[in-house]
Amino acid sequence: MTELLQRILPTVQKPARYTGGEFNEIQKDPASVRVRVAFCFPDTYEIGMSNVGMRILYGVMNRMEGVWCQRVFAPWGDMEEAMRRHGLPLWALESQKPVKDFDMIAFTIGYEMSYSNILNMLRLAGVPLRSADRTGLKNIVFAGGVCAFNPEPLADFIDFFSLGEGEDITVEIVSLYDHAKAESWSKEVFLREVSKIPGVYVPSFYRHEYNADGTLASVTALDGAPKMVTKRIVEDLDTAYWPSEMIVPSTEIVHDRANREVFRGCIRGCRFCQAGFSCRPVRKKSPQVLYRQAVETLENSGHNEMTLSSLSTSDYRGLKELTDALIPYCAEHRVNLSVPSLRADNFSRELMERLQTVRKSGLTFAPEAGTQRLRDVINKNLTEDEILTTCANAFSGGWSNVKLYFMLGLPTETDEDVLGIAELVYKVMETWKAYGTSRKRGLRIHVATAYFVPKPHTPFQWEKQIPPEEYLRRCRLLKSHLYSKAVEYDYHGPELSRLEAVFARGDRRLGRVIEEAVRLGARLDGWDEYFDHSIWQRAFETCGVDPDFYTVRGYGEEEILPWDTIDVGVRKDFLRRERRKAYEGTVTPDCRQGCAGCGANRLLREVDCDA
Ligand code: SF4
């Protein structure tokens, strides 16, 4: 560690964010390394170290001979000021070396409001922001993650995108770079060759042209670039790489526990959910492999908490078999086993009681909409009876703390739907009066509403986002009907979700806006302490870009969409069909009731969807 950093650390919050040296960190002999990859998470250490994708790809790259992958996180404001004051460039944790010295700079991007951090980290590293300004083979910048499914707002800054699951494609990309470096290829030659790897999208190989009304007129693939780029998936999760020796953070992180991913994709098809569609097809891991890896992870990390994660863990067919095996082990080793993302329609009280013998925490459900009509429109496939039966089950089991998540601004939503949320909450309260057993602790219902953000690659990708003032009117309407002391109601301010909607469906013209906002000081936008909406307003004005074009303006079904070059497996005509059904108020049963023909299974070569 540099002497300068040692002087700065005592003056900033959470200095352990910047030191590295944690248990299970990967160190390599610099003489044996040919390719250095600075693996950047565009947010703080405690968020990045909780990201499973980051953990997997860190292990994938460090298993490669001659490759050293090192972690980089966005500094908190106090450290950034100290870095600027002392001229200290951004560094990687393992070697404490400047990011500027690295061959490749990789970003994993899971949230649109982290885009300012990407540019700010490049700036703090002293690396030119724009891809066109980085001319050599050094400092090749590439990115992956769910936001790469609409890469266009970042097209000016990222040399290429790696689409889908990274276990295999990352090895192919870094191996090719290793070869390119040994052969002294130019950047152009490398980009040409890397674009031949399935799943790699090089934005500079596509020309975007616009109509007078601002919509896309054409997207032209240049010099033989593929017309569409299809994401990569890992077909057999049982044999896929899994990092059982996880780094144990030396400071508290957001999800400070061992994590076991039980399956990928989702059978449900909720029409607003980007992850649900873009992570298809459905593939699961076997309980035997999961048990072995879970025990290895716990014994190699000393964690006293393990979570079984996925988009809808209660849909995992092997859940009982897996927990039957894991619970005795966890009880003996005093490990708390938690199962997040429960659906109210397959909540097993018996499982919950067994899981929570150690600690009884609250229940969390996401009905998303207050009326059956609107739940059918969004294809939530959840009835009021199922919600109330589950609550009755839980209340008679002694639970008295419920979190209910909803969205406001959903397509076709009316005030009746908004008031439907209040009615549902009161029915939950009536259910508690009828079944509640924990009289000591009164009922606590926490209601939260989010501002609906239309996302690419979903049936709602063409939808309007309601104006912020209308969203706030609906929040106030709901609040005025939630007057019980047992109910706590929270809603997000509209500004952040509106910007999220701009970047989620944005095009290349937003690059200038992001650059201008970062120049004006935008960073750490995901944190209330740092998010400054006025900076973004000034940036849009300065660049003459109207954010309403990407939010309250719906997209035409015949319009060329900025993300049309990206193929996530689910076919566009299936999304159109699902949109039609939404407006008819008809549901599509989950994949267990039969394949709905979304098209994602065409990405599977050996097997079919494992619904
Ligand atoms: S291909 Fe069929 S079974 Fe597979 S995810 Fe799509 S709808 Fe479900």
Side-chain angles (χ1 to χ4, degrees):
M1 186 181 296
T2 61
E3 189 270 328
L4 172 57
L5 183 55
Q6 283 181 6
R7 274 193 287 113
I8 291 173
L9 285 178
T11 68
V12 297
Q13 293 175 37
K14 296 190 178 178
R17 286 167 166 159
Y18 310 109
T19 56
E22 309 98 320
F23 181 62
N24 281 341
E25 175 199 66
I26 306 228
Q27 282 291 336
K28 293 202 176 181
D29 166 11
S32 71
V33 174
R34 297 186 306 278
V35 178
R36 286 169 176 73
V37 181
F39 193 9
C40 303
F41 190 89
D43 210 319
T44 60
Y45 178 94
E46 50 270 33
I47 307 275
M49 286 301 290
S50 306
N51 181 280
V52 174
M54 179 110 188
R55 302 296 200 115
I56 294 175
L57 297 184
Y58 178 80
V60 162
M61 285 186 265
N62 277 318
R63 280 180 0 140
M64 297 174 70
E65 184 274 328
V67 174
W68 192 5
C69 172
Q70 303 180 35
R71 296 160 298 146
V72 185
F73 300 98
W76 194 241
D78 55 1
M79 175 54 90
E80 179 172 339
E81 270 144 45
M83 290 166 69
R84 290 185 187 289
R85 207 165 43 249
H86 298 281
L88 179 64
L90 188 66
W91 66 94
L93 297 190
E94 279 71 6
S95 65
Q96 302 281 306
K97 292 279 186 258
V99 168
K100 195 172 180 46
D101 296 353
F102 281 68
D103 300 294
M104 306 185 88
I105 300 172
F107 284 92
T108 177
I109 319 173
Y111 181 36
E112 290 82 355
M113 294 318 294
S114 69
Y115 291 4
S116 57
N117 289 336
I118 294 170
L119 272 66
N120 196 42
M121 289 172 81
L122 290 175
R123 199 170 59 160
L124 290 169
V127 171
L129 298 187
R130 287 179 169 269
S131 173
D133 299 337
R134 299 186 300 265
T135 52
L137 195 57
K138 187 128 189 169
N139 295 162
I140 286 282
V141 177
F142 69 108
V146 70
C147 288
F149 290 144
N150 177 18
E152 298 310 330
L154 293 170
D156 295 341
F157 313 108
I158 308 290
D159 294 314
F160 66 88
F161 292 85
S162 163
L163 302 176
E165 294 157 16
E167 285 89 339
D168 305 327
I169 190 175
T170 308
V171 174
E172 295 160 22
I173 288 168
V174 177
S175 306
L176 181 71
Y177 183 92
D178 191 2
H179 180 67
K181 188 178 176 185
E183 304 283 318
S184 306
W185 288 1
S186 69
K187 177 177 178 180
E188 289 60 40
V189 172
F190 172 70
L191 289 181
R192 180 66 52 202
E193 291 307 309
V194 81
S195 74
K196 295 176 183 157
I197 295 177
V200 169
Y201 171 66
V202 182
S204 57
F205 291 174
Y206 298 80
R207 185 176 58 240
H208 285 214
E209 288 157 318
Y210 302 91
N211 295 313
D213 66 1
T215 57
L216 265 171
S218 65
V219 175
T220 312
L222 309 169
D223 312 331
K227 239 171 118 0
M228 286 194 83
V229 179
T230 301
K231 73 171 187 182
R232 296 284 293 270
I233 61 162
V234 174
E235 186 144 353
D236 180 357
L237 293 178
D238 269 354
T239 55
Y241 165 76
W242 175 260
S244 55
E245 290 177 358
M246 289 206 179
I247 294 177
V248 180
S250 26
T251 182
E252 200 189 343
I253 63 172
V254 175
H255 299 309
D256 209 350
R257 53 181 172 255
N259 184 316
R260 270 312 14 260
E261 179 193 36
V262 293
F263 72 89
R264 292 184 183 169
C266 185
I267 63 171
R268 297 284 167 170
C270 303
R271 294 175 178 140
F272 56 84
C273 182
Q274 184 182 39
F277 284 101
S278 61
C279 297
R280 284 182 167 186
V282 183
R283 292 142 293 140
K284 70 174 188 301
K285 255 186 185 188
S286 66
Q288 298 73 21
V289 170
L290 282 168
Y291 176 79
R292 175 172 51 74
Q293 292 178 343
V295 170
E296 276 174 20
T297 305
L298 289 167
E299 294 185 351
N300 290 335
S301 66
H303 273 296
N304 64 358
E305 181 149 359
M306 159 73 72
T307 191
L308 302 176
S309 68
S310 74
L311 292 174
S312 178
T313 300
S314 47
D315 282 340
Y316 175 56
R317 284 186 193 276
L319 192 57
K320 184 164 180 337
E321 186 183 344
L322 175 61
T323 49
D324 283 354
L326 268 178
I327 286 172
Y329 175 90
C330 290
E332 183 195 338
H333 296 83
R334 302 208 62 66
V335 171
N336 187 46
L337 188 60
S338 64
V339 177
S341 67
L342 287 176
R343 278 185 55 100
D345 58 348
N346 61 4
F347 166 83
S348 140
R349 170 145 157 227
E350 178 262 338
L351 169 64
M352 285 311 282
E353 275 174 352
R354 290 169 55 221
L355 277 177
Q356 303 204 345
T357 46
V358 179
R359 184 179 50 165
K360 197 184 248 37
S361 57
L363 286 170
T364 302
F365 296 119
E368 311 291 3
T371 60
Q372 194 57 51
R373 183 199 72 78
L374 191 53
R375 280 194 295 275
D376 292 349
V377 166
I378 65 176
N379 203 39
K380 187 67 189 180
N381 278 317
L382 184 62
T383 65
E384 186 171 285
D385 276 1
E386 284 164 335
I387 296 168
L388 298 179
T389 306
T390 297
C391 288
N393 234 340
F395 293 152
S396 52
W399 275 272
S400 60
N401 209 329
V402 183
K403 286 191 184 134
L404 297 173
Y405 289 104
F406 300 89
M407 275 187 277
L408 289 178
L410 290 162
T412 79
E413 186 179 270
T414 63
D415 284 5
E416 192 194 336
D417 298 308
V418 175
L419 297 177
I421 295 175
E423 282 154 34
L424 180 60
V425 169
Y426 284 107
K427 287 179 181 158
V428 170
M429 289 176 70
E430 291 311 307
T431 306
W432 190 73
K433 289 191 187 120
Y435 295 89
T437 54
S438 67
R439 290 292 167 221
K440 276 203 300 331
R441 289 188 309 271
L443 173 66
R444 303 282 323 131
I445 301 182
H446 176 91
V447 176
T449 58
Y451 185 5
F452 166 62
V453 174
K455 291 277 179 147
H457 306 289
T458 69
F460 289 162
Q461 66 182 6
W462 296 280
E463 296 304 324
K464 292 186 176 75
Q465 186 185 44
I466 61 171
E469 46 287 346
E470 172 56 17
Y471 163 73
L472 290 173
R473 184 192 70 77
R474 295 181 192 187
C475 292
R476 288 191 295 273
L477 173 65
L478 176 57
K479 191 170 183 60
S480 65
H481 285 71
L482 289 173
Y483 24 69
S484 160
K485 288 200 181 53
V487 179
E488 199 187 311
Y489 171 42
D490 268 337
Y491 59 90
H492 304 280
E495 293 82 8
L496 205 60
S497 300
R498 185 159 175 272
L499 279 176
E500 184 187 340
V502 170
F503 295 118
R505 297 190 299 179
D507 56 40
R508 290 184 183 188
R509 292 169 295 187
L510 292 171
R512 288 181 302 118
V513 176
I514 302 171
E515 195 168 12
E516 176 63 10
V518 169
R519 192 185 66 74
L520 294 169
R523 72 218 189 297
L524 298 169
D525 286 309
W527 300 81
D528 295 347
E529 300 92 319
Y530 288 98
F531 176 59
D532 180 344
H533 189 234
S534 68
I535 286 178
W536 287 98
Q537 285 173 311
R538 271 187 288 142
F540 280 107
E541 278 149 27
T542 307
C543 299
V545 173
D546 175 7
D548 284 358
F549 179 85
Y550 304 98
T551 55
V552 295
R553 176 187 79 92
Y555 288 58
E557 282 196 10
E558 299 323 311
E559 193 177 322
I560 299 174
L561 301 171
W563 53 91
D564 273 351
T565 312
I566 310 299
D567 171 13
V568 298
V570 176
R571 287 199 318 278
K572 204 172 180 182
D573 62 346
F574 171 82
L575 297 177
R576 275 200 196 90
R577 200 170 69 221
E578 281 295 301
R579 185 182 190 216
R580 299 247 181 304
K581 292 177 80 171
Y583 279 88
E584 293 152 10
T586 54
V587 299
T588 298
D590 69 59
C591 302
R592 289 208 174 127
Q593 320 308 318
C595 174
C598 80
N601 53 353
R602 67 193 157 85
L603 302 184
L604 296 164
R605 288 182 304 254
E606 315 293 325
V607 294
D608 203 343
C609 276
D610 198 350

